[in-house]
Amino acid sequence: MGERASFSFNPDGSRLIRHGEAHPWEPAAGVSSLPQIEAHLAAHLGPVQHVFHELVSDAVHIDVHCIPPTPTQPYLRLVTSGMSDRPMNVPVDAGPEVPRYLELMVTLPANWYFGQTELEDERWYWPLRTLKFLARVPHKFDTWLGAGHTIPNGDPPEPYAAGTRLCGAVILRSPTVPTHFHKLKTPGKTIAFMAVVPLHADEMAYKLRHGSDRLGQRLDRAGVNDCIDPARRSVAPRLFGLF
C-alpha cells in the first residue's frame, strides 16, 4: 500500500484502510479519457448541461459533469472525469476483477439547486465538494476506492452540512443507471463508474461489523437507493450495539 496508507481488517473480514499524510501538491498528470467519458455519459445518462471545471488541479484534473433529469432518468447526476487519468494503487490480492481506473457519481433529486448562490451554501454544495475530494483520495494517499469501501467525513465523522446527519459515504454500484453505464472500455484501460452513497454514523458502524452486502440489503428493504436524501433516517438496527 505504500507509506501513505496501511491496513488492518474489520470484524466482517474486509480491509480497513488508514491514511497517513497526503502527497504534497503536484501538477496534474496522467492519460485523459475525457472524450470517451463525455460520449459515455451522453449515451447512457443524457446530455451534459454544465461542467464544473477546476482552475488549479492537484495530482489529477477533476472536472464534474452535471447531467439534468430526463424522462427516463429522473435524477440530477454529478459525474467526475479525471480520476481515471491515473491508476489507483490496488493491492495484487484484491483480484483482477477489481477496477484500477475509477470515476465517481453522485445522484441527486431533480430539484437540487446549483446556482451561484447555492454553491456558496454548504447545504447545497456538499455533494459536489465530497465528490471532488473522494476522486482525489486514491492519488493523494497511494490507495484505492472500490465497491463497499466506506469513508467517514473526518475523524470522528461530522455531518456534511447543517440540516443533515449524514456523515460518511460508501462506494457502491449504482442501482439507478443503465447496466451498460457501469464500465467504459477505452484504449489501454477499462474505467468503472461507481456511486457515492452518503451514510449515517451507525450505518457505517453496521457495515464495518456485518459487511457491505448486509448494509445493502437493509438499504434495499428501506427503499433507499443512491439518490441523496439529506433528511432520510438511518437503516441500521435500533440498539445497534446489541447486534
Side-chain angles (χ1 to χ4, degrees):
M1 298 296 295
E3 295 181 355
R4 299 179 189 277
S6 61
F7 69 88
S8 57
F9 290 92
N10 296 309
D12 71 327
S14 64
R15 193 184 306 258
L16 173 63
I17 300 172
R18 292 183 173 88
H19 298 137
E21 292 186 12
H23 282 291
W25 188 92
E26 58 179 321
V31 178
S32 174
S33 300
L34 180 58
Q36 295 94 330
I37 290 174
E38 288 180 328
H40 188 69
L41 298 180
H44 298 293
L45 299 184
V48 174
Q49 181 182 59
H50 179 74
V51 180
F52 295 98
H53 291 284
E54 280 193 333
L55 299 179
V56 178
S57 298
D58 183 1
V60 285
H61 181 86
I62 304 295
D63 286 335
V64 178
H65 303 256
C66 182
I67 303 167
T70 69
T72 58
Q73 298 283 322
Y75 306 103
L76 177 66
R77 311 277 192 179
L78 301 179
V79 189
T80 65
S81 68
M83 182 181 181
S84 63
D85 288 358
R86 293 183 174 186
M88 298 183 293
N89 187 15
V90 179
V92 175
D93 62 0
E97 73 284 355
V98 175
R100 269 62 179 169
Y101 298 92
L102 182 65
E103 298 289 351
L104 295 175
M105 177 184 73
V106 157
T107 297
L108 293 163
N111 61 352
W112 199 274
Y113 294 108
F114 273 120
Q116 186 58 46
T117 301
E118 287 78 24
L119 288 175
E120 297 173 1
D121 187 335
E122 197 67 14
R123 291 174 298 175
W124 299 103
Y125 180 65
W126 69 265
L128 176 58
R129 174 177 55 79
T130 301
L131 191 63
K132 289 171 66 70
F133 168 75
L134 292 179
R136 197 164 267 114
V137 162
H139 309 298
K140 295 299 293 180
F141 294 97
D142 282 336
T143 186
W144 62 297
L145 294 177
H149 286 194
T150 44
I151 310 96
N153 184 40
D155 185 14
E158 297 182 357
Y160 286 114
T164 185
R165 298 181 68 182
L166 299 170
C167 60
V170 61
I171 308 300
L172 294 176
R173 184 181 171 97
S174 171
T176 61
V177 297
T179 301
H180 294 297
F181 175 72
H182 295 295
K183 287 187 178 181
L184 167 63
K185 291 186 177 181
T186 71
K189 59 186 172 184
T190 297
I191 302 170
F193 291 80
M194 292 189 181
V196 176
V197 182
L199 298 176
H200 290 267
D202 57 351
E203 291 173 331
M204 286 189 287
Y206 182 86
K207 180 267 172 183
L208 293 178
R209 184 175 298 183
H210 297 291
S212 58
D213 288 345
R214 290 272 295 274
L215 174 62
Q217 291 168 6
R218 297 193 71 88
L219 291 170
D220 289 342
R221 287 200 297 268
V224 177
N225 58 26
D226 57 330
C227 185
I228 293 177
D229 176 3
R232 78 167 179 84
R233 298 175 122 187
S234 171
V235 303
R238 292 187 178 183
L239 303 177
F240 171 60
L242 300 179
F243 286 74

Coordinates of all heavy atoms in Angstrom, one line a residue, residues 96-165:
P96 N -8.1 -9.6 -10.1 CA -8.1 -8.9 -11.4 C -9.4 -8.3 -11.7 O -9.4 -7.4 -12.6 CB -7.8 -10.1 -12.3 CG -8.3 -11.3 -11.7 CD -8.1 -11.1 -10.2
E97 N -10.5 -8.6 -11.1 CA -11.8 -8.0 -11.4 C -12.0 -6.7 -10.8 O -12.9 -5.9 -11.1 CB -13.0 -9.0 -11.0 CG -13.2 -9.1 -9.5 CD -12.2 -9.9 -8.8 OE1 -11.4 -10.5 -9.4 OE2 -12.3 -10.0 -7.5
V98 N -11.2 -6.3 -9.8 CA -11.3 -5.0 -9.1 C -10.7 -3.9 -10.0 O -9.6 -4.0 -10.5 CB -10.5 -5.0 -7.8 CG1 -10.5 -3.7 -7.2 CG2 -11.1 -6.1 -6.8
P99 N -11.5 -2.9 -10.3 CA -11.1 -1.9 -11.3 C -9.9 -1.1 -10.7 O -9.8 -0.7 -9.6 CB -12.3 -1.0 -11.4 CG -13.1 -1.2 -10.2 CD -12.9 -2.6 -9.8
R100 N -8.9 -0.8 -11.6 CA -7.8 0.0 -11.4 C -8.1 1.5 -11.7 O -7.4 2.4 -11.2 CB -6.6 -0.5 -12.1 CG -5.7 -1.5 -11.4 CD -6.3 -2.8 -11.1 NE -5.4 -3.7 -10.5 CZ -5.8 -4.8 -9.9 NH1 -7.1 -5.1 -9.8 NH2 -4.9 -5.7 -9.3
Y101 N -9.0 1.7 -12.6 CA -9.4 3.0 -13.0 C -10.9 3.3 -12.7 O -11.7 2.4 -13.0 CB -9.2 3.1 -14.5 CG -7.8 3.0 -15.0 CD1 -7.3 1.7 -15.3 CD2 -6.9 4.0 -15.0 CE1 -6.0 1.5 -15.7 CE2 -5.6 3.9 -15.4 CZ -5.1 2.6 -15.7 OH -3.8 2.4 -16.1
L102 N -11.1 4.4 -12.1 CA -12.5 4.6 -11.5 C -12.9 6.1 -11.7 O -12.0 7.0 -11.6 CB -12.5 4.3 -10.0 CG -13.8 4.4 -9.2 CD1 -14.8 3.4 -9.7 CD2 -13.5 4.2 -7.7
E103 N -14.2 6.3 -11.9 CA -14.8 7.6 -11.8 C -16.0 7.5 -10.9 O -16.5 6.4 -10.7 CB -15.3 8.1 -13.2 CG -14.2 8.3 -14.2 CD -13.3 9.5 -13.9 OE1 -13.6 10.3 -13.0 OE2 -12.2 9.7 -14.7
L104 N -16.4 8.6 -10.2 CA -17.4 8.5 -9.2 C -18.6 9.4 -9.6 O -18.5 10.3 -10.4 CB -16.9 9.0 -7.9 CG -15.8 8.2 -7.2 CD1 -15.2 8.9 -6.0 CD2 -16.3 6.8 -6.9
M105 N -19.8 9.0 -9.1 CA -21.0 9.7 -9.4 C -21.8 9.9 -8.2 O -21.8 9.1 -7.2 CB -21.8 8.8 -10.4 CG -23.2 9.4 -10.7 SD -24.2 8.2 -11.8 CE -24.6 7.0 -10.5
V106 N -22.5 11.1 -8.1 CA -23.5 11.4 -7.1 C -24.8 11.6 -7.8 O -24.9 12.2 -8.9 CB -23.1 12.7 -6.3 CG1 -24.3 13.3 -5.7 CG2 -22.0 12.4 -5.3
T107 N -25.9 11.0 -7.2 CA -27.2 11.1 -7.7 C -28.0 12.0 -6.8 O -28.0 11.7 -5.6 CB -27.9 9.8 -7.9 OG1 -27.1 9.0 -8.9 CG2 -29.3 9.9 -8.4
L108 N -28.7 13.0 -7.3 CA -29.4 14.0 -6.5 C -30.9 14.1 -7.0 O -31.2 13.8 -8.2 CB -28.8 15.3 -6.6 CG -27.4 15.5 -6.0 CD1 -26.7 16.7 -6.6 CD2 -27.4 15.5 -4.5
P109 N -31.8 14.5 -6.1 CA -33.2 14.8 -6.6 C -33.2 15.8 -7.7 O -32.3 16.7 -7.9 CB -33.8 15.4 -5.3 CG -33.0 14.9 -4.2 CD -31.6 14.9 -4.7
A110 N -34.2 15.7 -8.6 CA -34.3 16.6 -9.8 C -34.3 18.0 -9.4 O -33.9 18.9 -10.2 CB -35.5 16.2 -10.6
N111 N -34.8 18.4 -8.2 CA -34.9 19.8 -7.8 C -33.7 20.3 -7.0 O -33.9 21.4 -6.4 CB -36.2 20.0 -7.1 CG -36.3 19.2 -5.8 OD1 -35.4 18.4 -5.5 ND2 -37.3 19.5 -4.9
W112 N -32.6 19.6 -7.0 CA -31.4 20.1 -6.3 C -30.9 21.3 -7.0 O -30.9 21.4 -8.3 CB -30.4 19.0 -6.2 CG -29.3 19.3 -5.2 CD1 -28.2 20.0 -5.3 CD2 -29.3 18.7 -3.9 NE1 -27.5 20.0 -4.1 CE2 -28.2 19.2 -3.2 CE3 -30.2 17.9 -3.1 CZ2 -27.8 18.9 -1.9 CZ3 -29.9 17.6 -1.8 CH2 -28.7 18.1 -1.2
Y113 N -30.4 22.3 -6.3 CA -30.0 23.6 -6.9 C -28.5 23.7 -7.0 O -27.8 23.4 -6.0 CB -30.6 24.8 -6.1 CG -32.1 24.9 -6.1 CD1 -32.9 24.5 -5.0 CD2 -32.8 25.2 -7.3 CE1 -34.2 24.6 -5.1 CE2 -34.1 25.3 -7.4 CZ -34.9 25.0 -6.2 OH -36.2 25.0 -6.3
F114 N -28.0 24.3 -8.1 CA -26.6 24.5 -8.3 C -26.4 25.9 -8.9 O -25.5 26.0 -9.7 CB -25.9 23.4 -9.1 CG -25.5 22.2 -8.3 CD1 -26.0 21.0 -8.5 CD2 -24.6 22.4 -7.2 CE1 -25.6 19.9 -7.8 CE2 -24.2 21.3 -6.5 CZ -24.7 20.1 -6.7
G115 N -27.2 26.9 -8.5 CA -26.9 28.2 -9.0 C -25.7 28.8 -8.2 O -25.2 28.2 -7.2
Q116 N -25.2 30.0 -8.6 CA -24.1 30.6 -7.9 C -24.4 30.8 -6.4 O -23.5 30.6 -5.6 CB -23.7 31.9 -8.6 CG -22.5 32.5 -8.0 CD -21.2 31.6 -8.2 OE1 -21.0 31.0 -9.2 NE2 -20.4 31.5 -7.1
T117 N -25.6 31.2 -6.1 CA -25.9 31.4 -4.6 C -25.9 30.1 -3.9 O -25.3 30.0 -2.8 CB -27.3 32.0 -4.5 OG1 -27.3 33.3 -5.2 CG2 -27.7 32.2 -3.0
E118 N -26.4 29.0 -4.5 CA -26.4 27.7 -3.8 C -25.0 27.2 -3.6 O -24.7 26.5 -2.6 CB -27.3 26.8 -4.6 CG -28.8 27.0 -4.5 CD -29.2 28.2 -5.4 OE1 -28.5 28.4 -6.3 OE2 -30.3 28.8 -5.0
L119 N -24.1 27.5 -4.6 CA -22.7 27.0 -4.5 C -22.0 27.6 -3.3 O -20.9 27.1 -2.9 CB -22.0 27.2 -5.8 CG -22.4 26.3 -7.0 CD1 -21.7 26.8 -8.2 CD2 -22.1 24.9 -6.7
E120 N -22.5 28.7 -2.8 CA -21.9 29.3 -1.6 C -22.5 28.9 -0.3 O -22.1 29.3 0.8 CB -22.0 30.8 -1.8 CG -21.2 31.4 -3.0 CD -21.5 32.9 -3.2 OE1 -22.3 33.5 -2.4 OE2 -20.9 33.4 -4.1
D121 N -23.5 28.0 -0.4 CA -24.2 27.4 0.7 C -23.9 26.0 0.9 O -24.2 25.2 0.0 CB -25.7 27.7 0.5 CG -26.6 27.3 1.8 OD1 -26.1 26.5 2.6 OD2 -27.7 27.8 1.9
E122 N -23.3 25.6 2.0 CA -22.8 24.2 2.1 C -24.0 23.2 2.1 O -23.8 22.0 1.8 CB -22.0 24.1 3.4 CG -21.2 22.8 3.5 CD -20.0 22.8 2.6 OE1 -19.7 23.8 2.0 OE2 -19.4 21.7 2.4
R123 N -25.2 23.6 2.4 CA -26.3 22.7 2.4 C -26.6 22.2 1.0 O -27.2 21.1 0.8 CB -27.6 23.4 3.0 CG -27.5 23.7 4.5 CD -28.7 24.5 4.9 NE -28.7 25.8 4.2 CZ -29.7 26.7 4.4 NH1 -30.7 26.4 5.1 NH2 -29.6 27.9 3.7
W124 N -26.2 23.0 0.0 CA -26.4 22.5 -1.4 C -25.1 22.1 -2.0 O -25.1 21.2 -2.9 CB -26.9 23.7 -2.3 CG -28.3 24.2 -1.8 CD1 -28.5 25.3 -1.1 CD2 -29.5 23.5 -2.0 NE1 -29.9 25.4 -0.9 CE2 -30.5 24.4 -1.4 CE3 -29.9 22.4 -2.7 CZ2 -31.9 24.0 -1.5 CZ3 -31.3 22.0 -2.7 CH2 -32.2 22.9 -2.1
Y125 N -24.0 22.6 -1.6 CA -22.7 22.4 -2.2 C -22.0 21.1 -1.8 O -21.2 20.5 -2.5 CB -21.7 23.5 -1.9 CG -20.4 23.4 -2.5 CD1 -20.2 23.4 -3.9 CD2 -19.2 23.3 -1.7 CE1 -18.9 23.3 -4.5 CE2 -18.0 23.1 -2.3 CZ -17.8 23.1 -3.6 OH -16.6 23.0 -4.2
W126 N -22.4 20.5 -0.6 CA -21.6 19.4 0.0 C -21.5 18.2 -0.9 O -20.4 17.5 -0.9 CB -22.0 19.1 1.4 CG -23.4 18.4 1.5 CD1 -24.6 19.0 1.8 CD2 -23.7 17.0 1.5 NE1 -25.6 18.1 1.9 CE2 -25.1 16.9 1.7 CE3 -22.9 15.9 1.2 CZ2 -25.7 15.6 1.7 CZ3 -23.5 14.6 1.2 CH2 -24.9 14.5 1.4
P127 N -22.5 17.8 -1.7 CA -22.3 16.6 -2.5 C -21.2 16.8 -3.6 O -20.4 15.9 -3.9 CB -23.7 16.4 -3.2 CG -24.7 17.1 -2.3 CD -23.9 18.3 -1.7
L128 N -21.1 18.0 -4.1 CA -20.1 18.3 -5.1 C -18.7 18.4 -4.5 O -17.8 17.8 -5.0 CB -20.4 19.7 -5.8 CG -19.4 20.2 -6.8 CD1 -19.2 19.3 -7.9 CD2 -19.9 21.6 -7.3
R129 N -18.7 19.0 -3.3 CA -17.4 19.0 -2.6 C -16.9 17.6 -2.2 O -15.7 17.3 -2.4 CB -17.5 19.9 -1.3 CG -16.3 19.9 -0.4 CD -16.4 20.8 0.8 NE -17.6 20.4 1.6 CZ -17.7 19.4 2.5 NH1 -16.7 18.6 2.6 NH2 -18.8 19.2 3.2
T130 N -17.8 16.8 -1.7 CA -17.5 15.4 -1.3 C -17.0 14.6 -2.5 O -16.0 13.9 -2.5 CB -18.7 14.8 -0.7 OG1 -19.0 15.5 0.5 CG2 -18.3 13.3 -0.2
L131 N -17.7 14.8 -3.7 CA -17.3 14.0 -4.9 C -15.9 14.4 -5.3 O -15.1 13.5 -5.6 CB -18.3 14.4 -6.0 CG -18.3 13.5 -7.2 CD1 -18.6 12.1 -6.9 CD2 -19.3 14.1 -8.2
K132 N -15.6 15.7 -5.3 CA -14.2 16.1 -5.8 C -13.2 15.6 -4.8 O -12.1 15.2 -5.2 CB -14.2 17.6 -5.9 CG -15.0 18.1 -7.1 CD -15.1 19.7 -7.1 CE -13.8 20.3 -7.2 NZ -13.2 20.2 -8.6
F133 N -13.5 15.6 -3.5 CA -12.5 15.2 -2.5 C -12.2 13.7 -2.7 O -11.1 13.2 -2.7 CB -13.0 15.4 -1.1 CG -12.2 14.7 0.0 CD1 -11.0 15.2 0.4 CD2 -12.7 13.6 0.6 CE1 -10.2 14.6 1.3 CE2 -12.0 13.0 1.6 CZ -10.7 13.4 1.9
L134 N -13.3 12.9 -2.8 CA -13.1 11.4 -2.9 C -12.4 11.0 -4.2 O -11.6 10.1 -4.2 CB -14.5 10.7 -2.8 CG -15.2 10.8 -1.4 CD1 -16.5 10.1 -1.5 CD2 -14.3 10.2 -0.3
A135 N -12.6 11.8 -5.3 CA -12.0 11.4 -6.5 C -10.5 11.6 -6.5 O -9.7 11.0 -7.2 CB -12.6 12.3 -7.6
R136 N -10.0 12.4 -5.5 CA -8.6 12.7 -5.4 C -7.9 11.8 -4.4 O -6.7 11.6 -4.3 CB -8.4 14.2 -5.1 CG -7.0 14.6 -5.3 CD -6.9 16.2 -5.4 NE -7.0 16.6 -6.8 CZ -8.0 17.4 -7.2 NH1 -9.0 17.7 -6.4 NH2 -8.0 17.7 -8.5
V137 N -8.7 11.2 -3.5 CA -8.1 10.4 -2.4 C -7.2 9.3 -2.8 O -6.0 9.2 -2.3 CB -9.3 9.7 -1.5 CG1 -8.8 8.6 -0.7 CG2 -9.9 10.8 -0.6
P138 N -7.5 8.4 -3.8 CA -6.5 7.4 -4.2 C -5.1 7.9 -4.6 O -4.1 7.3 -4.4 CB -7.2 6.7 -5.4 CG -8.6 6.9 -5.2 CD -8.7 8.3 -4.6
H139 N -5.1 9.1 -5.3 CA -3.9 9.6 -5.8 C -3.1 10.4 -4.8 O -1.9 10.6 -5.0 CB -4.2 10.4 -7.1 CG -5.1 9.7 -8.0 ND1 -4.7 8.5 -8.7 CD2 -6.4 9.9 -8.5 CE1 -5.7 8.1 -9.4 NE2 -6.7 8.9 -9.4
K140 N -3.8 10.9 -3.8 CA -3.1 11.7 -2.8 C -2.5 10.8 -1.6 O -1.6 11.2 -0.9 CB -4.0 12.7 -2.2 CG -4.4 13.8 -3.1 CD -3.2 14.6 -3.7 CE -2.6 15.4 -2.6 NZ -1.4 16.2 -3.1
F141 N -3.1 9.6 -1.5 CA -2.7 8.7 -0.4 C -2.2 7.3 -0.8 O -2.1 6.4 0.0 CB -3.9 8.5 0.5 CG -4.4 9.8 1.2 CD1 -5.4 10.5 0.7 CD2 -3.7 10.2 2.4 CE1 -5.8 11.7 1.3 CE2 -4.2 11.4 3.0 CZ -5.2 12.1 2.5
D142 N -1.9 7.1 -2.1 CA -1.4 5.8 -2.6 C -2.3 4.7 -2.2 O -1.9 3.7 -1.7 CB 0.0 5.5 -2.0 CG 1.1 6.3 -2.7 OD1 0.9 6.7 -3.9 OD2 2.2 6.5 -2.2
T143 N -3.6 4.9 -2.4 CA -4.6 3.9 -2.0 C -5.6 3.6 -3.1 O -5.3 3.9 -4.3 CB -5.2 4.3 -0.7 OG1 -6.1 3.3 -0.2 CG2 -6.0 5.6 -0.9
W144 N -6.7 3.1 -2.8 CA -7.7 2.8 -3.8 C -9.1 2.9 -3.2 O -9.3 2.9 -2.0 CB -7.5 1.5 -4.4 CG -7.6 0.3 -3.5 CD1 -6.8 0.1 -2.4 CD2 -8.5 -0.8 -3.5 NE1 -7.2 -1.1 -1.8 CE2 -8.2 -1.6 -2.4 CE3 -9.6 -1.1 -4.4 CZ2 -9.0 -2.8 -2.2 CZ3 -10.3 -2.3 -4.1 CH2 -10.0 -3.1 -3.0
L145 N -10.1 3.1 -4.1 CA -11.5 3.0 -3.7 C -12.2 2.0 -4.5 O -11.9 1.8 -5.7 CB -12.2 4.4 -3.9 CG -11.7 5.5 -3.0 CD1 -12.5 6.8 -3.4 CD2 -11.9 5.2 -1.5
G146 N -13.1 1.2 -3.9 CA -13.8 0.2 -4.6 C -15.1 -0.1 -3.9 O -15.5 0.5 -2.9
A147 N -15.9 -1.0 -4.5 CA -17.2 -1.3 -4.0 C -17.2 -1.8 -2.6 O -16.4 -2.6 -2.2 CB -17.9 -2.4 -4.9
G148 N -18.0 -1.1 -1.7 CA -18.1 -1.5 -0.3 C -17.2 -0.7 0.6 O -17.3 -0.7 1.8
H149 N -16.3 0.1 0.0 CA -15.4 1.0 0.9 C -16.2 2.1 1.5 O -17.0 2.8 0.8 CB -14.3 1.6 0.0 CG -13.2 0.6 -0.3 ND1 -12.0 1.0 -0.8 CD2 -13.2 -0.8 -0.3 CE1 -11.3 -0.1 -1.1 NE2 -12.0 -1.2 -0.7
T150 N -16.0 2.3 2.8 CA -16.6 3.4 3.5 C -15.6 4.5 3.9 O -14.5 4.2 4.2 CB -17.4 3.0 4.8 OG1 -16.5 2.0 5.5 CG2 -18.7 2.3 4.4
I151 N -16.0 5.7 3.7 CA -15.1 6.9 4.0 C -15.8 7.8 4.9 O -16.8 8.5 4.5 CB -14.7 7.6 2.7 CG1 -14.2 6.6 1.7 CG2 -13.6 8.6 3.0 CD1 -15.2 6.2 0.7
P152 N -15.4 8.0 6.2 CA -16.1 8.9 7.1 C -15.7 10.4 6.7 O -14.7 10.6 6.2 CB -15.6 8.5 8.5 CG -14.2 7.9 8.2 CD -14.3 7.2 6.8
N153 N -16.6 11.3 7.1 CA -16.3 12.7 6.9 C -15.6 13.2 8.1 O -16.2 13.9 9.0 CB -17.6 13.5 6.7 CG -17.4 14.9 6.4 OD1 -16.4 15.3 5.6 ND2 -18.2 15.8 6.9
G154 N -14.3 12.9 8.2 CA -13.5 13.3 9.4 C -13.4 12.2 10.4 O -14.0 11.2 10.3
D155 N -12.6 12.5 11.4 CA -12.3 11.5 12.5 C -12.3 12.3 13.8 O -11.4 12.9 14.2 CB -11.0 10.8 12.3 CG -10.8 9.7 13.3 OD1 -11.7 9.3 14.0 OD2 -9.6 9.2 13.4
P156 N -13.4 12.2 14.6 CA -14.7 11.4 14.3 C -15.5 12.1 13.2 O -15.3 13.3 12.9 CB -15.4 11.5 15.7 CG -15.0 12.8 16.3 CD -13.5 12.9 15.9
P157 N -16.4 11.3 12.6 CA -17.1 11.8 11.4 C -18.1 12.9 11.9 O -18.7 12.8 12.9 CB -17.9 10.6 10.9 CG -17.9 9.6 12.0 CD -16.6 9.9 12.8
E158 N -18.2 13.9 11.0 CA -19.1 15.1 11.3 C -20.1 15.2 10.2 O -19.8 14.8 9.0 CB -18.4 16.4 11.5 CG -17.4 16.4 12.7 CD -16.7 17.7 12.8 OE1 -16.9 18.6 11.9 OE2 -15.9 17.9 13.8
P159 N -21.3 15.7 10.4 CA -22.3 15.8 9.3 C -21.7 16.7 8.2 O -21.0 17.6 8.4 CB -23.5 16.5 10.0 CG -23.4 16.1 11.4 CD -21.9 16.0 11.7
Y160 N -22.1 16.4 7.0 CA -21.6 17.1 5.8 C -22.0 18.6 5.8 O -21.3 19.4 5.3 CB -22.1 16.5 4.5 CG -21.4 15.1 4.2 CD1 -22.1 13.9 4.2 CD2 -20.1 15.1 3.9 CE1 -21.5 12.7 3.9 CE2 -19.4 13.9 3.5 CZ -20.1 12.8 3.6 OH -19.5 11.6 3.2
A161 N -23.2 18.8 6.4 CA -23.7 20.2 6.4 C -24.8 20.3 7.4 O -25.3 19.3 7.9 CB -24.2 20.6 5.0
A162 N -25.2 21.6 7.7 CA -26.4 21.8 8.5 C -27.6 21.2 7.9 O -27.8 21.2 6.7 CB -26.6 23.3 8.8
G163 N -28.5 20.6 8.7 CA -29.7 20.0 8.2 C -29.6 18.6 7.8 O -30.6 18.0 7.3
T164 N -28.5 17.9 8.0 CA -28.4 16.5 7.7 C -27.5 15.9 8.7 O -26.6 16.5 9.3 CB -27.8 16.3 6.3 OG1 -27.8 14.8 6.0 CG2 -26.3 16.8 6.2
R165 N -27.8 14.6 9.0 CA -26.9 13.8 9.9 C -26.0 12.8 9.1 O -25.3 12.0 9.8 CB -27.8 13.0 10.9 CG -28.7 14.0 11.8 CD -29.5 13.2 12.8 NE -28.7 12.5 13.8 CZ -29.2 11.8 14.7 NH1 -30.6 11.6 14.8 NH2 -28.5 11.2 15.6

